[in-house]
Amino acid sequence: MPYKIIEKRELGNSGQVFEMVIETPLIAKKAHGGNFILLRINETGERFPLTIADYDREKGTITIVVQVVGKSTKLLSHQEVGDAILDIVGPLGNQIHIEKYEHPVVIIGGGIGIAPCYPQAKELKEAGNKIIAIIGARNKELLFWREKMRSVSDEFIICTDDGSEGIKGVVTEPLKELIKREKTSVVIAIGPLIMMKYVALTTNGSGNLPKVKTYVSLNTIMIDGTGMCGGCRFSTVDGEIYFACVDGPDVDGHIVDFDNLLKRANRFLDQEKESVECYDRECRALERYESEGT
Amino acid sequence: METQPALINLLIKNKEKILSAGKYNETEFSDLINSLSQAESERNLILKKIEELGTLNIETLRKELSLSEKTLLYNIEYLKACGSLEFIGETPRFFQETIDTFKKNEIFPNALIIREKKLCCGCGLCVSVCPVDAIRYSKGTFEIDDDVCIDCGLCYACCPRTFFPIEMKRSQENVSNIKFLEQLNYFQEICTAQTTDENIKKVAQDGGVVTTLLKMAFQQNLIDGALAVGLGDNPLEPRSLLIENEEDLLKTAGTKYTNSPMLQILHDYRNYKRLAVVGTPCIMEALKKLTFYPKNKPFYNNIVLKIGLFCMESFDYESIIGLLKNEFHQSPEDIRKMNIDKGKLIIYDKTGSIFDVPIKRIKKYGRFGCFFCDDLTSEQADISVGSIGSELSWSTVIIRTERGAQFFQKAIKSHLLIKNKIEEDSKSFQSLSSIAKSKLKKYKTLHRPIMIEQEPSIRSTNFEEVPKGLTEDLVKIEAQRCLQCGNPQCVIGCPVNIRIPDFIKLLREARFIDAIHEIKTYNLLPAICGRVCPQEIQCEKHCLLNDLGEPIAIGYLERFIADWERKNKLKECPDCKPPNGIKVAVIGSGPSGLTCAGTLAMEGYDVTIFEAFHAGGGVLSYGIPEFRLPKEIVKEEIETLKMLNVKIQYNAIIGKTLDFEDLKEMGFKAFFIGVGAGLPMFIKVKGLDLNGVLTSNEFLTRSNLMKAYKFPDYDTPINIGKIVTVIGGGNVALDSSRTALRLGAERVIIVYRRSEVEMPARKAEYHHAKEEGIEFKFLTNPVRFLGDENADVRFMEVIKMELGEPDESGRRRPIPIQGSEYVIETDTIIVAIGTRANPILTKSIPELKLNKWGYIEINENGQTNIEGVFAGGDIVTGSATVISAMGAGKKAAKAMDEYLKKSYLQS
């Protein structure tokens, strides 16, 4: 069954982030915030996870947002409307826990992590929660979905590292103010590992700040997404082993051993580089062929 | 002066005991001693000469020793049987145990080994020859009373199933009109005959020829008695008896295919001057053996006529009772007569009704000993009689010897028999000939062929298959070795009960398409099973040839025929019933799911398989490496299923993408859960979170399913460094280690906490791994993993173990030796210590009953606690073999078929 790309658009101005709407009727029917899919673009492709950024049960589509970081994401970004992805499986992982919390919920999206925040904010908002959303990136070129996020939040904060839009600074700065300002039920943080690490450190009750239950979303290396390979495992500060795919992807940020996870993320650094180089060489060869051919 | 041979010494020592047993009187005893001594000195002479010549040449020996060829032949066979000719490279046909005993005692052991090896033909000769009367025959075989036995080994030496020079079986008289056919041996004439005696007609089998021949012999005073089988105390129970006159004859007529150890009473009648013996081929063989061993015996020379019966196989009394009960629902009292004709066993009951079943169905009741027999027509008899090849109420007669011809002619002349010619091109002759041919055994060798394998040094650098398969020529030779047993144990050993002898027979006849068709009726994945089934503990373990030498290479043959089909781009597809439109869902496309789907598709169901991965096969695809099972083969086998209209939906995780309720809504009426045991187990040690520590599942999935070994052509990376350590002792550990080697590891070490003996891996794979240079550290257990500042693993600390008392698995429990810790440098650690149940599916059906380990509980039909939901394979049993999962899939499919028929088709 081919998984056809229905829509594609660039997000922000970096040329690195794309939104794609893909025809996946079965997955769309079951998808929730927190769920992810595994993709294999073509016969030689690897299986890699992407979090579901939106879904439309009626149209039978899901939305994914991809940032070019390695070979597979680059290859995916080169797919156009009408092309099909060879394999998509999902929805995987646990959907977020939805309840009407007593106090506001703070949802933080960093960079590409803004996208998966959207369905979580939407579902929590629909459950009657007060949503405070913070989205952040290195600069304004990398920001996207401002209106979409605003539409599901009661309070909406933008920050950039370089101050090119919103508050100058990292997402933990407004977070500190918020949890100092009012009692917060839950913090949800999705973004780069380093961001999630500092969010968790901000909310763990240290310093003069109150402790707030914090979920982070782990997007680790995985193959099957069903608990089979164990490649996605992470250890807790107590030395316990969990699997991001079946125990997550949203997990208690306070138990995650981020330092270990940061190192595990580099597992295939050399191979990823090699893979991208090979792909770029192929792309250049193809371009040359096409330009010489015409 | 030469020393007394050990056997003679022993007999003399036991003289009192022998005489008091009452079988031999003083004179007979000394005759026996003389005959044995004479044979002994003959053999010494021959042995010396062979030693002198350094080679075995019958012609030279005959000239130099002026001994008859016959004398030479059996003495040489005897020398071979005791291992005395090993120095000139003559390997004995029979058992090493016997030779070892002989070398130690210079006397053969007793005949129990023949019974143990299931070779006993049930002739009863051992009972007769035992000088101390220590042997009794009961329930289809013999028992030896240890307290009485003097270990003289005469029973072994006389047994027709021990040494028997093949040339002696083929000896002939110098008669001008003698003819020879391999399947019938020598004969003068073949005809059909019928008795003219109305009384005999009423009770006798077929033409009543045997009874009539004996009647004539009594009438014309040609014999004093005839040894035959008559009825015992119970209906159909055979009893060996001696007939002394014409009147007693009718007692024997119409015997019922039951094996009777008639020669056990032979010694009782040694004073009869002229004895006729009527019996099956094995009885005739035993009598033939008596003509050359013991040589020059003072008795047993009184047999003047050997009437042989045709015999496909015989049945023990107990088996025949079972046969009647199971196949005819009859008890022996109700049977008037039994007959075999035109491929059927026919019974006539006392009410006059006639029933029949195909012989094929009754073969399984036959004696094991019969499966080694290649004599249909009693080739060692003077005259052979049977029903094959003749019209109803006639018998086929094969006249073999001059004596046989004389007796037959006399019966014709006195108008007791009438005869009809059989032409060699007639249908009757052809049917006799072809049935006789089917019984021929062609196991020239007891060794199985060796499959050519890639050289270890070459194969450890590529992912191509290690064994290369058998050639067509070798396959035909190997197929000839199959005994074609009537009661094939291999089929029982096969979890999906492939009719193994049937497909081997087709291979033998080079009917390859039929052979693959035959296999696929039972097993849709032969190319896979031929490679990864542990045949050595399943079908091949039960092969009768194990007892003699090596079992038939069933796996090799299965692999050959499946590969032959693929190479010839054929797609044999088993016959399917017409579609019945009932939808069945199979969850998981591993071995159990594929088998279940195929079996149900053949029954006409509309089957859809749901597979979580993007490729089918389950563990066959992600777990077993390319060099053991090429993935193309898995694909092709799945194609066969598609030809049966099985649909496969990939990327469908039941419990995620779809759930059980969705499937019901989609119209599925029954469900098979075969999702395997996919979750990896971890050992509880520090350092599991280091980079470079991975589960065998991840490692093998990357390499096999995702083809990381072709990186960067395929995008999935794998990096293992120079030294790889694998933890575990099963097939998965071996697969992981050999994959690591092929990915370029310089050193691969397997760490296993028990010893070599307890390793659960297949021996052949262990052997392959060792050949390729995998290092094994047995009785070694990891303590912790140590890494560097980048969280990359560097060392594994291990502790030495020793074996204690057996644990619940029956294997000796490994216990750490305190203070024996040391470290192994390593770049990668692969944990291959087993798997457990994956809860994704089972959690999505909360009412599904699981055991405490999370495996699904099923009843004996494979059904779970939910109606219409069945399960099988590793999700029920925990990790097991491919074929056992297939067996479970098949069993469940049968139960599902019954369930669906009952619920949806009968109304």
Side-chain angles (χ1 to χ4, degrees):
Chain A
M1 197 187 345
Y3 302 89
K4 235 163 91 186
I5 300 169
I6 307 291
E7 292 172 38
K8 179 190 176 187
R9 66 183 71 88
E10 195 189 331
L11 298 181
N13 281 317
S14 62
Q16 299 294 305
V17 183
F18 298 86
E19 173 187 347
M20 283 177 175
V21 178
I22 304 173
E23 206 172 68
T24 54
L26 291 182
I27 300 171
K29 222 169 133 186
K30 290 268 191 301
H32 277 285
N35 287 146
F36 66 94
I37 54 168
L38 277 165
L39 303 86
R40 193 174 73 127
I41 299 166
N42 57 24
E43 193 48 47
T44 56
E46 64 178 329
R47 289 167 69 99
F48 66 101
L50 281 178
T51 315
I52 295 173
D54 203 354
Y55 48 85
D56 187 326
R57 301 206 203 283
E58 270 157 35
K59 286 189 190 148
T61 60
I62 57 164
T63 301
I64 52 168
V65 172
V66 58
Q67 180 174 25
V68 176
V69 284
K71 151 96 191 251
S72 293
T73 45
K74 199 168 203 171
L75 181 62
L76 182 58
S77 75
H78 290 169
Q79 308 303 307
E80 301 301 335
V81 171
D83 289 348
I85 311 288
L86 186 60
D87 294 297
I88 298 182
V89 63
L92 293 161
N94 300 305
Q95 65 184 78
I96 49 152
H97 174 69
I98 303 285
E99 67 169 79
K100 164 75 182 83
Y101 292 103
E102 197 184 341
H103 306 291
V105 176
V106 177
I107 297 184
I108 307 168
I112 188 77
I114 298 167
C117 281
Y118 173 71
Q120 301 212 6
K122 187 170 79 174
E123 285 176 29
L124 284 165
K125 175 86 180 154
E126 278 165 8
N129 287 293
K130 181 184 176 190
I131 306 292
I132 304 170
I134 308 172
I135 65 167
R138 285 202 303 281
N139 55 53
K140 67 172 186 185
E141 313 297 320
L142 290 165
L143 284 172
F144 58 92
W145 280 12
R146 296 172 188 84
E147 287 318 307
K148 227 173 154 167
M149 282 305 289
R150 204 189 299 276
S151 72
V152 291
S153 353
D154 296 283
E155 199 176 331
F156 184 59
I157 301 162
I158 293 177
C159 41
T160 50
D161 293 6
D162 63 358
S164 52
E165 189 174 337
I167 302 166
K168 181 174 193 288
V170 291
V171 292
T172 44
E173 296 308 323
L175 174 64
K176 275 180 198 162
E177 298 308 318
L178 284 172
I179 57 175
K180 254 193 270 179
R181 186 185 79 192
E182 63 184 305
K183 216 162 160 69
T184 307
S185 283
V186 176
V187 172
I188 296 169
I190 310 176
L193 275 175
I194 195 78
M195 178 201 96
M196 295 192 285
K197 173 182 169 178
Y198 282 102
V199 168
L201 286 174
T202 307
T203 58
N204 68 358
S206 61
N208 292 322
L209 296 169
K211 184 170 176 169
V212 185
K213 177 84 179 168
T214 299
Y215 289 106
V216 295
S217 177
L218 300 181
N219 191 5
T220 51
I221 292 166
M222 53 180 75
I223 301 173
D224 61 292
T226 60
M228 207 190 88
C229 75
C232 66
R233 70 187 186 277
F234 64 94
S235 48
T236 68
V237 284
D238 297 329
E240 290 292 311
I241 297 279
Y242 285 96
F243 286 8
C245 69
V246 288
D247 297 318
D250 291 5
V251 297
D252 182 350
H254 295 145
I255 64 163
V256 177
D257 179 351
F258 279 103
D259 294 337
N260 177 265
L261 211 47
L262 280 159
K263 286 171 184 163
R264 279 185 72 77
N266 294 335
R267 225 178 122 189
F268 292 112
L269 214 55
D270 294 346
Q271 281 82 1
E272 280 164 13
K273 234 172 101 188
E274 188 185 346
S275 205
V276 171
E277 279 165 11
C278 278
Y279 182 60
D280 288 346
R281 265 202 305 279
E282 274 169 35
C283 288
R284 281 197 298 273
L286 193 69
E287 267 169 37
R288 253 200 322 278
Y289 172 81
E290 278 172 353
S291 65
E292 281 162 17
T294 48
Chain B
M1 199 186 135
E2 279 182 64
T3 48
Q4 285 273 47
L7 175 60
I8 311 285
N9 272 342
L10 180 82
L11 291 173
I12 291 172
K13 207 176 90 193
N14 285 289
K15 186 176 170 184
E16 283 311 306
K17 202 171 173 182
I18 293 170
L19 292 180
S20 63
K23 272 194 178 166
Y24 296 81
N25 61 30
E26 193 74 48
T27 331
E28 286 167 339
F29 179 77
S30 61
D31 283 349
L32 177 70
I33 297 292
N34 285 340
S35 96
L36 290 171
S37 314
Q38 199 184 337
E40 189 72 29
S41 48
E42 249 171 37
R43 272 194 299 276
N44 282 335
L45 207 64
I46 295 167
L47 190 56
K48 254 188 212 148
K49 199 44 140 190
I50 295 173
E51 277 167 2
E52 202 181 297
L53 295 169
T55 169
L56 182 77
N57 184 320
I58 302 285
E59 203 40 40
T60 320
L61 288 170
R62 202 174 59 83
K63 276 182 197 153
E64 301 217 354
L65 297 172
S66 49
L67 288 170
S68 76
E69 193 174 334
K70 194 175 158 189
T71 309
L72 272 169
L73 284 175
Y74 74 71
N75 277 318
I76 286 165
E77 202 68 18
Y78 187 102
L79 289 169
K80 278 186 197 172
C82 33
S84 309
L85 293 185
E86 276 174 300
F87 71 97
I88 51 159
E90 282 294 332
T91 43
R93 181 165 162 227
F94 282 119
F95 319 107
Q96 196 55 46
E97 299 98 300
T98 312
I99 289 163
D100 293 344
T101 312
F102 194 90
K103 282 189 176 151
K104 208 169 97 203
N105 307 335
E106 291 180 37
I107 300 177
F108 282 122
N110 65 30
L112 279 180
I113 191 164
I114 300 300
R115 192 183 79 184
E116 280 160 18
K117 306 274 184 191
K118 304 191 186 80
L119 284 168
C120 174
C121 66
C123 68
L125 185 61
C126 50
V127 179
S128 179
V129 300
C130 178
V132 289
D133 210 13
I135 310 184
R136 284 286 168 272
Y137 200 93
S138 78
K139 298 209 166 145
T141 191
F142 59 89
E143 307 281 347
I144 299 180
D145 185 341
D146 283 342
D147 297 335
V148 184
C149 175
I150 55 170
D151 295 319
C152 67
L154 276 178
C155 49
Y156 180 89
C158 286
C159 173
R161 286 289 164 95
T162 60
F163 56 95
F164 201 139
I166 188 87
E167 298 87 345
M168 303 288 276
K169 289 194 181 180
R170 289 273 189 249
S171 59
Q172 55 168 304
E173 293 176 331
N174 272 328
V175 185
S176 58
N177 60 346
I178 200 101
K179 291 173 203 141
F180 175 79
L181 278 177
E182 195 188 10
Q183 65 272 31
L184 298 177
N185 215 337
Y186 286 97
F187 63 93
Q188 294 188 18
E189 190 191 347
I190 299 184
C191 61
T192 62
Q194 189 185 46
T195 186
T196 56
D197 184 314
E198 288 307 316
N199 287 332
I200 295 177
K201 264 187 200 170
K202 259 184 234 160
V203 291
Q205 300 271 13
D206 315 308
V209 172
V210 176
T211 316
T212 310
L213 277 174
L214 294 175
K215 177 180 169 160
M216 180 280 299
F218 279 121
Q219 279 181 353
Q220 302 194 13
N221 192 21
L222 300 171
I223 54 173
D224 307 313
L227 197 55
V229 178
L231 273 188
D233 302 333
N234 300 308
L236 294 189
E237 188 183 28
R239 186 160 63 103
S240 317
L241 53 88
L242 188 88
I243 301 142
E244 291 175 282
N245 52 53
E246 210 187 316
E247 288 69 47
D248 287 349
L249 258 180
L250 293 182
K251 284 185 201 163
T252 70
T255 46
K256 317 284 192 231
Y257 301 101
T258 321
N259 167 272
S260 173
M262 57 193 297
L263 297 184
Q264 66 178 327
I265 56 169
L266 191 57
H267 65 272
D268 294 341
Y269 305 104
R270 56 189 188 273
N271 297 329
Y272 282 65
K273 290 246 151 35
R274 300 166 305 171
L275 210 55
V277 180
V278 182
T280 50
C282 43
I283 301 288
M284 296 299 124
E285 279 200 1
L287 293 178
K288 179 81 174 193
K289 183 144 186 190
L290 267 179
T291 66
F292 61 87
Y293 190 87
K295 206 208 163 199
N296 301 328
K297 59 202 162 298
F299 31 81
Y300 297 149
N301 295 324
N302 52 350
I303 297 159
V304 293
L305 179 66
K306 292 178 282 181
I307 305 178
L309 305 171
F310 294 1
C311 178
M312 274 308 281
E313 67 258 295
S314 72
F315 305 94
D316 295 333
Y317 174 64
E318 285 75 14
S319 312
I320 215 147
I321 302 297
L323 184 161
L324 288 171
K325 196 174 144 208
N326 300 338
E327 308 292 336
F328 294 95
H329 309 290
Q330 296 266 12
S331 65
E333 304 83 61
D334 305 327
I335 308 301
R336 189 169 58 84
K337 191 166 142 176
M338 296 166 74
N339 208 353
I340 288 179
D341 193 36
K342 304 209 164 49
K344 284 174 179 160
L345 174 72
I346 305 158
I347 66 162
Y348 305 82
D349 76 2
K350 287 188 174 152
T351 66
S353 307
I354 302 173
F355 308 91
D356 63 60
V357 290
I359 289 183
K360 235 185 144 70
R361 240 171 73 195
I362 62 164
K363 270 181 170 288
K364 59 175 183 259
Y365 299 94
R367 293 175 59 83
F368 282 110
C370 295
F371 306 143
F372 294 95
C373 171
D374 60 359
D375 184 352
L376 175 79
T377 57
S378 278
E379 294 167 18
Q380 309 305 327
D382 294 313
I383 182 167
S384 311
V385 182
S387 61
I388 300 167
S390 50
E391 301 277 307
L392 196 65
S393 307
W394 285 76
S395 297
T396 305
V397 178
I398 305 178
I399 298 155
R400 299 186 180 276
T401 64
E402 253 329 273
R403 188 169 289 170
Q406 279 166 16
F407 274 80
F408 188 68
Q409 282 315 319
K410 282 182 177 152
I412 295 284
K413 269 190 194 147
S414 47
H415 305 291
L416 285 165
L417 284 178
I418 48 170
K419 82 163 191 178
N420 263 331
K421 256 185 136 174
I422 292 187
E423 299 299 337
E424 285 196 25
D425 55 1
S426 70
K427 230 175 144 185
S428 328
F429 188 89
Q430 292 309 322
S431 96
L432 174 64
S433 172
S434 76
I435 294 172
K437 247 186 206 161
S438 77
K439 217 184 159 187
L440 278 181
K441 303 283 178 268
K442 292 189 177 168
Y443 53 100
K444 301 272 188 300
T445 159
L446 292 169
H447 299 287
R448 53 201 259 150
I450 293 164
M451 217 189 258
I452 295 168
E453 293 177 346
Q454 275 198 74
E455 286 296 319
S457 60
I458 296 167
R459 71 185 190 231
S460 61
T461 63
N462 66 47
F463 275 84
E464 281 156 41
E465 260 196 295
V466 173
K468 290 296 183 191
L470 289 186
T471 61
E472 196 170 316
D473 290 342
L474 279 177
V475 163
K476 282 183 189 152
I477 294 168
E478 181 62 2
Q480 299 287 5
R481 291 209 307 138
C482 176
L483 293 173
Q484 293 290 308
C485 309
N487 185 2
Q489 301 299 295
C490 51
V491 179
I492 298 165
C494 171
V496 295
N497 306 120
I498 299 174
R499 288 187 306 203
I500 293 162
D502 291 14
F503 97 74
I504 294 182
K505 188 163 176 242
L506 293 164
L507 285 181
R508 191 188 271 194
E509 294 160 4
R511 289 164 58 189
F512 292 156
I513 291 185
D514 296 333
I516 188 73
H517 197 88
E518 169 64 38
I519 291 182
K520 283 196 173 176
T521 307
Y522 293 87
N523 175 9
L524 288 163
L525 315 171
I528 294 170
C529 290
R531 287 173 166 81
V532 301
C533 271
Q535 289 96 8
E536 65 277 7
I537 56 164
Q538 293 174 333
C539 53
E540 290 176 10
K541 183 186 174 188
H542 297 272
C543 177
L544 292 190
L545 287 180
N546 272 309
D547 294 332
L548 298 182
E550 291 175 323
I552 296 288
I554 299 167
Y556 291 6
L557 296 182
E558 184 181 27
R559 173 181 163 161
F560 167 83
I561 191 62
D563 289 355
W564 176 87
E565 182 196 26
R566 206 174 53 256
K567 272 179 210 147
N568 287 286
K569 305 241 179 299
L570 297 168
K571 276 257 167 270
E572 257 327 285
C573 185
D575 306 324
C576 287
K577 293 194 179 149
N580 59 24
I582 297 178
K583 287 174 82 177
V584 178
V586 170
I587 303 164
S589 71
S592 72
L594 291 177
T595 308
C596 182
T599 312
L600 287 169
M602 282 161 71
E603 291 297 323
Y605 293 96
D606 177 6
V607 185
T608 305
I609 303 179
F610 295 90
E611 166 57 45
F613 271 127
H614 56 261
V619 74
L620 305 170
S621 280
Y622 72 75
I624 301 175
E626 182 77 13
F627 56 85
R628 278 223 290 138
L629 179 63
K631 300 307 150 216
E632 265 316 298
I633 289 174
V634 180
K635 259 192 190 161
E636 296 260 355
E637 304 262 52
I638 291 173
E639 284 304 308
T640 312
L641 283 187
K642 288 190 182 161
M643 286 169 65
L644 302 177
N645 294 318
V646 172
K647 296 178 267 289
I648 303 193
Q649 186 167 345
Y650 295 110
N651 299 319
I653 303 172
I654 306 303
K656 293 281 180 193
T657 317
L658 290 165
D659 54 39
F660 196 49
E661 293 306 317
D662 294 329
L663 296 183
K664 281 187 189 162
E665 268 172 37
M666 289 158 81
F668 291 100
K669 301 289 184 222
F671 307 84
F672 176 78
I673 305 171
V675 294
L679 292 202
M681 300 222 261
F682 280 108
I683 33 167
K684 296 228 171 351
V685 297
K686 278 227 168 79
L688 276 178
D689 52 7
L690 294 169
N691 284 332
V693 178
L694 65 167
T695 64
S696 50
N697 267 0
E698 178 181 355
F699 179 69
L700 290 174
T701 305
R702 280 181 183 275
S703 180
N704 299 332
L705 180 74
M706 304 309 297
K707 303 208 175 347
Y709 66 91
K710 292 182 179 169
F711 181 88
D713 291 342
Y714 278 72
D715 295 343
T716 304
I718 202 161
N719 60 340
I720 55 167
K722 289 181 178 162
I723 309 171
V724 175
T725 312
V726 180
I727 302 165
N731 286 323
V732 176
L734 292 185
D735 285 346
S736 301
S737 67
R738 295 170 70 197
T739 299
L741 197 69
R742 284 158 173 78
L743 286 168
E746 288 170 13
R747 209 179 147 201
V748 182
I749 307 153
I750 284 188
V751 169
Y752 180 49
R753 65 196 182 118
R754 300 180 194 254
S755 76
E756 189 176 359
V757 193
E758 288 89 12
M759 263 177 94
R762 275 186 85 178
K763 291 285 162 282
E765 300 305 332
Y766 170 50
H767 174 74
H768 278 146
K770 277 214 310 203
E771 275 183 348
E772 288 166 13
I774 306 290
E775 293 170 48
F776 287 84
K777 286 190 192 293
F778 291 111
L779 292 167
T780 305
N781 208 26
V783 178
R784 59 180 173 148
F785 307 151
L786 305 159
D788 60 17
E789 67 285 358
N790 297 321
D792 289 334
V793 72
R794 279 284 159 266
F795 299 98
M796 183 197 294
E797 184 179 316
V798 294
I799 189 164
K800 290 187 182 170
M801 311 289 275
E802 60 189 352
L803 292 178
E805 292 300 306
D807 60 15
E808 62 278 5
S809 76
R811 298 176 297 178
R812 293 177 64 192
R813 185 192 301 277
I815 301 164
I817 303 170
Q818 293 309 320
S820 66
E821 294 90 344
Y822 66 101
V823 293
I824 301 170
E825 199 184 333
T826 191
D827 300 313
T828 293
I829 294 173
I830 299 167
V831 184
I833 57 161
T835 54
R836 59 202 167 88
N838 190 329
I840 286 187
L841 175 116
T842 50
K843 253 165 61 183
S844 77
I845 315 174
E847 64 271 34
L848 189 64
K849 198 168 172 204
L850 308 178
N851 69 13
K852 61 175 172 176
W853 298 283
Y855 296 118
I856 299 174
E857 286 196 355
I858 55 169
N859 69 11
E860 66 284 358
N861 296 320
Q863 181 161 348
T864 67
N865 64 315
I866 305 173
E867 191 185 308
V869 180
F870 296 73
D874 286 2
I875 190 59
V876 169
T877 57
S879 331
T881 61
V882 168
I883 190 79
S884 64
M886 290 177 58
K890 185 160 195 164
K891 195 169 161 191
K894 284 183 180 160
M896 289 167 86
D897 178 37
E898 270 173 40
Y899 162 77
L900 289 166
K901 271 191 187 134
K902 214 164 58 191
S903 312
Y904 298 97
L905 286 177
Q906 274 170 2
S907 49

